[in-house]
Amino acid sequence: MNNNELIVIALGGNALLDSKSKGSIEERERAADKTAEQLHDVLSSDFRVVLTHGNGPQVGNILIQNEEAASKVPPMPLDVCVAETQGEIGYVLQKSIQNDFRRKGIDKQIITLLTQVVVDENDPAFSNFSKPIGPYYNEEQKNEILRNKKDWMFAKDPAGKGFRRVVPSPKPIKINETRIISDLLNNNYLVIAVGGGGIPVYFNSEKNETRGVEAVIDKDLASARLAIDLNVDKLIILTNVDYCYINFKKENQIVLKDLNLDEANTYIEQGHFSAGSMGPKVQAAVEFVTATGKKAVITSIERLNDALTGKAGTVIHP
Amino acid sequence: MNNNELIVIALGGNALLDSKSKGSIEERERAADKTAEQLHDVLSSDFRVVLTHGNGPQVGNILIQNEEAASKVPPMPLDVCVAETQGEIGYVLQKSIQNDFRRKGIDKQIITLLTQVVVDENDPAFSNFSKPIGPYYNEEQKNEILRNKKDWMFAKDPAGKGFRRVVPSPKPIKINETRIISDLLNNNYLVIAVGGGGIPVYFNSEKNETRGVEAVIDKDLASARLAIDLNVDKLIILTNVDYCYINFKKENQIVLKDLNLDEANTYIEQGHFSAGSMGPKVQAAVEFVTATGKKAVITSIERLNDALTGKAGTVIHP
């Protein structure tokens, strides 16, 4: 792949922690090693790459740790927990890639940087807490927590597993570190950034300062925001299926290999893509393509190399 | 301060979390805001600066969280916990400095990057576990833990507070991100790196890979290593006293304003500097001065500006 195109690759959650595992370090390292191997061709090529990643299971674990130790150690707010996951996930992923490079004689420097993502304090998401995070609680536990955390919101799990904390998921409006990431790419570094959708912050105009906020930013939307601001050549969103589908898992399921913006928007409106999963991915692709006139691809990590040569994945284009 | 000298400033633990506080986010942000204000003059000057910092109380809190939630969430090894603290501490510190810059109209970009620090797997520290970390346990709790963690070591607290886990504190031999940090400084970024002494890793030659290791690297020695490898103009180690002393807190206490290498080494040998506190700071200063022929200064953050013009602090020189 002799091509110095600039691309953002958004890694799905299962690239770093199998959803069936509890998240031991051995399981994390195994997943990261496998991901590093699967990314090898593109990362060792002339492509200039920013890797972004989710943090769902990992931040869930940190929230459980915060709750369990709450009588001994002050729990941290969500922005700080996300920052912690940028540390742990970034480190494990970076190390796996470095080891893969070393074994195969690739001399390329990797950097993982903390990334703050600015949201609008007037985002409607702040009056519509929609994103469930962390452990399940029974009603009594939930009420006990609410006595101490008066601003927390809970929602009943539709599958009857109990209550979960819900937090706002506001739109990313600015990646604070865009200029630095751009410089690093120009210096030929492989960059790991925007982990977990970025550390959520907003600008408090009264105090004239940036403050953290208890929210979770969708990592695909944040990746699209970065891809737009960097004006990259392609946005690649990796997930656990090779293509998007309409009528997914029904008898009349149709694979989507090629979507223009009108088609993509129509299918979004028709509700073909599920809210917690494919929905934000297609939405992120649409935002990138609309803003830049370039292409986005949604595929699996196994088909990444094929996707880069147009032989696999759902391509969203103008 | 119109001077584009390159300096490493190592922040003491109390710059980011008062040792008397439990570590709530409000306490952390207050400490970081104050530190940002105290650093303002030097950070907004032409000096090119790398900030390093410790993580003692913060990693202690994370270890408690790991233990308390161990039945629900797999505890992470120490290298991953350090990576988490690079995330949380770096974020809070960076945000405070950015807010200080914004209020005062300084346009300077800051980056916090994950930093791995390589140690030697044959370091004698690995057969002499010396660094106490995390919570205190009674004998029963300690024995219970040892049933699951057969490779953990404990030491009895000399003050009788119980048992604490002890880990190796090996010498830092290489900062993996030196080249990147150097590039960033040349691009005029303010860099936050080597948090908590760095994520401890070693090279496993059998597997031809870098692996994390359960250890804590002294942050002053790691800062000196970085300062040597970057060949900076000055190493500044900040702590809670303005100067080093001999016969500290005794009737015949003498303040040390100026030490050559012979004097510093003699006082180290005579045991004037305590092992967990001033000892590694003077040692780090000596290593930097020996390797580079330049000056190191040990002082308080309150006297930093004076120290930069030679009017305060203990200066160690060739």
Side-chain angles (χ1 to χ4, degrees):
Chain A
M1 288 187 267
N2 289 313
N3 183 329
N4 71 350
E5 277 188 356
L6 193 56
I7 54 179
V8 167
I9 301 178
L11 292 171
N14 56 348
L16 296 160
L17 184 56
D18 190 302
S19 57
K20 276 166 273 170
S21 82
K22 286 204 78 173
S24 72
I25 184 62
E26 293 79 13
E27 292 166 320
R28 291 175 189 223
E29 289 184 338
R30 214 176 301 132
D33 282 348
K34 190 177 164 196
T35 292
E37 235 182 275
Q38 290 170 319
L39 293 173
H40 176 83
D41 287 348
V42 60
L43 297 187
S44 60
S45 72
D46 292 336
F47 282 108
R48 290 170 299 146
V49 177
V50 184
L51 281 179
T52 66
H53 61 84
N55 71 350
Q58 295 89 345
V59 80
N61 279 2
I62 286 181
L63 289 167
I64 293 171
Q65 292 177 330
N66 271 264
E67 283 309 300
E68 293 291 314
S71 66
K72 298 188 173 175
V73 166
M76 288 294 108
L78 207 42
D79 54 321
V80 176
C81 294
V82 172
E84 289 181 41
T85 68
Q86 291 192 350
E88 54 162 355
I89 301 171
Y91 158 57
V92 172
L93 176 60
Q94 172 171 342
K95 182 156 56 64
S96 288
I97 295 172
Q98 286 168 325
N99 283 328
D100 177 80
F101 281 1
R102 181 201 303 271
R103 287 195 199 100
K104 294 167 185 165
I106 308 294
D107 178 29
K108 191 163 193 166
Q109 299 280 304
I110 315 177
I111 178 167
T112 304
L113 73 157
L114 299 190
T115 315
Q116 295 172 33
V117 175
V118 182
V119 301
D120 180 351
E121 61 176 321
N122 298 315
D123 192 303
F126 286 111
S127 46
N128 172 29
F129 288 42
S130 64
K131 176 90 181 167
I133 57 163
Y136 293 89
Y137 301 98
N138 63 34
E139 184 140 15
E140 198 183 325
Q141 291 171 316
K142 178 203 74 171
N143 293 336
E144 176 59 34
I145 292 172
L146 281 174
R147 269 190 280 279
N148 296 311
K149 308 273 192 180
K150 298 200 191 306
D151 53 342
W152 280 27
M153 303 278 286
F154 284 86
K156 207 168 179 168
D157 179 59
K161 289 203 267 179
F163 293 85
R164 280 179 94 187
R165 185 178 173 199
V166 283
V167 296
S169 188
K171 265 181 77 99
I173 55 176
K174 186 189 162 200
I175 312 294
N176 255 352
E177 282 74 19
T178 303
R179 196 168 113 193
I180 295 180
I181 294 171
S182 178
D183 278 357
L184 290 164
L185 292 165
N186 288 337
N187 278 316
N188 212 29
Y189 288 110
L190 166 58
V191 179
I192 300 175
V194 199
I199 304 169
V201 299
Y202 74 99
F203 181 65
N204 182 317
S205 51
E206 202 177 305
K207 293 190 168 179
N208 190 21
E209 66 183 19
T210 296
R211 294 201 56 79
V213 61
E214 300 251 20
V216 163
I217 301 169
D218 181 84
K219 74 115 172 50
D220 294 307
L221 294 177
S223 303
R225 186 70 258 165
L226 178 68
I228 294 167
D229 293 347
L230 288 174
N231 194 25
V232 304
D233 298 292
K234 201 172 272 172
L235 169 63
I236 298 177
I237 298 177
L238 298 181
T239 180
N240 53 357
V241 288
D242 301 344
Y243 293 92
C244 306
Y245 296 86
I246 53 175
N247 306 316
F248 187 48
K249 288 187 175 169
K250 293 180 191 158
E251 265 188 24
N252 56 345
Q253 167 179 304
I254 295 170
V255 62
L256 301 171
K257 296 201 168 177
D258 189 280
L259 282 178
N260 66 33
L261 284 175
D262 280 348
E263 292 167 327
N265 280 319
T266 303
Y267 293 144
I268 290 173
E269 279 163 32
Q270 290 175 350
H272 280 286
F273 310 121
S274 62
S277 161
M278 194 55 86
K281 293 182 205 307
V282 181
Q283 186 62 43
V286 163
E287 291 188 7
F288 172 73
V289 176
T290 304
T292 62
K294 293 169 184 169
K295 290 179 186 173
V297 187
I298 299 173
T299 191
S300 65
I301 196 166
E302 289 80 8
R303 303 303 301 276
L304 173 60
N305 289 345
D306 290 338
L308 283 167
T309 52
K311 289 184 211 127
T314 299
V315 179
I316 294 99
H317 56 85
Chain B
M1 289 185 267
N2 289 314
N3 183 329
N4 70 351
E5 277 187 359
L6 192 56
I7 54 179
V8 167
I9 301 179
L11 292 170
N14 57 346
L16 296 160
L17 185 56
D18 189 302
S19 57
K20 275 167 270 169
S21 83
K22 284 205 78 174
S24 73
I25 185 61
E26 294 78 12
E27 291 167 321
R28 290 175 190 223
E29 290 184 337
R30 211 176 304 132
D33 282 348
K34 188 176 166 196
T35 293
E37 232 180 277
Q38 289 169 318
L39 293 174
H40 176 83
D41 287 346
V42 60
L43 297 186
S44 60
S45 71
D46 293 334
F47 281 108
R48 290 172 297 147
V49 177
V50 184
L51 281 179
T52 66
H53 60 82
N55 72 350
Q58 295 90 345
V59 81
N61 280 2
I62 286 181
L63 289 167
I64 292 171
Q65 292 177 329
N66 271 265
E67 283 309 299
E68 293 291 315
S71 66
K72 298 186 174 180
V73 166
M76 288 293 108
L78 207 42
D79 53 323
V80 176
C81 295
V82 171
E84 290 182 40
T85 67
Q86 290 191 350
E88 55 162 355
I89 301 171
Y91 158 58
V92 172
L93 176 61
Q94 172 171 342
K95 182 156 56 63
S96 288
I97 295 172
Q98 285 168 325
N99 283 329
D100 178 80
F101 280 1
R102 180 200 305 271
R103 288 197 199 98
K104 295 167 185 165
I106 308 294
D107 178 27
K108 191 163 193 167
Q109 299 279 304
I110 315 177
I111 179 169
T112 304
L113 73 157
L114 299 190
T115 316
Q116 295 172 34
V117 176
V118 182
V119 301
D120 181 349
E121 61 176 320
N122 298 315
D123 191 303
F126 287 111
S127 45
N128 171 30
F129 289 41
S130 64
K131 177 90 180 168
I133 58 164
Y136 293 89
Y137 301 99
N138 63 35
E139 185 142 15
E140 200 184 324
Q141 292 170 316
K142 179 204 73 170
N143 292 336
E144 175 60 33
I145 292 172
L146 281 174
R147 268 190 281 279
N148 295 311
K149 308 271 192 183
K150 300 201 189 304
D151 54 341
W152 281 26
M153 302 280 284
F154 285 86
K156 205 167 180 171
D157 179 61
K161 289 202 266 179
F163 292 84
R164 281 181 93 188
R165 186 179 171 198
V166 283
V167 297
S169 190
K171 264 181 79 101
I173 55 175
K174 186 187 161 201
I175 312 294
N176 255 352
E177 282 73 18
T178 302
R179 199 169 109 192
I180 296 180
I181 294 170
S182 178
D183 279 357
L184 290 163
L185 292 165
N186 289 337
N187 278 316
N188 212 28
Y189 289 110
L190 166 58
V191 179
I192 300 175
V194 199
I199 304 169
V201 299
Y202 73 100
F203 181 65
N204 182 318
S205 51
E206 204 177 305
K207 293 190 169 180
N208 191 20
E209 67 183 19
T210 296
R211 295 201 57 79
V213 61
E214 301 252 20
V216 163
I217 301 170
D218 181 84
K219 74 111 174 53
D220 294 307
L221 294 177
S223 303
R225 185 71 256 164
L226 178 69
I228 293 166
D229 293 347
L230 288 173
N231 194 24
V232 304
D233 297 293
K234 203 173 269 173
L235 169 64
I236 298 177
I237 298 176
L238 299 180
T239 181
N240 54 358
V241 288
D242 302 344
Y243 294 92
C244 306
Y245 296 87
I246 53 175
N247 307 316
F248 188 49
K249 288 188 175 168
K250 293 181 190 158
E251 264 187 27
N252 55 346
Q253 168 181 303
I254 296 170
V255 61
L256 302 172
K257 297 202 168 178
D258 190 281
L259 283 178
N260 66 33
L261 283 175
D262 281 348
E263 292 166 329
N265 280 319
T266 302
Y267 293 143
I268 291 173
E269 279 163 33
Q270 290 174 352
H272 280 286
F273 310 121
S274 63
S277 163
M278 195 54 87
K281 293 181 204 309
V282 180
Q283 186 62 42
V286 163
E287 291 187 8
F288 172 73
V289 176
T290 305
T292 62
K294 293 167 183 170
K295 290 178 185 175
V297 187
I298 299 173
T299 190
S300 65
I301 195 166
E302 290 80 7
R303 301 303 300 277
L304 173 60
N305 289 345
D306 290 337
L308 283 166
T309 51
K311 291 184 209 124
T314 299
V315 179
I316 294 98
H317 57 86

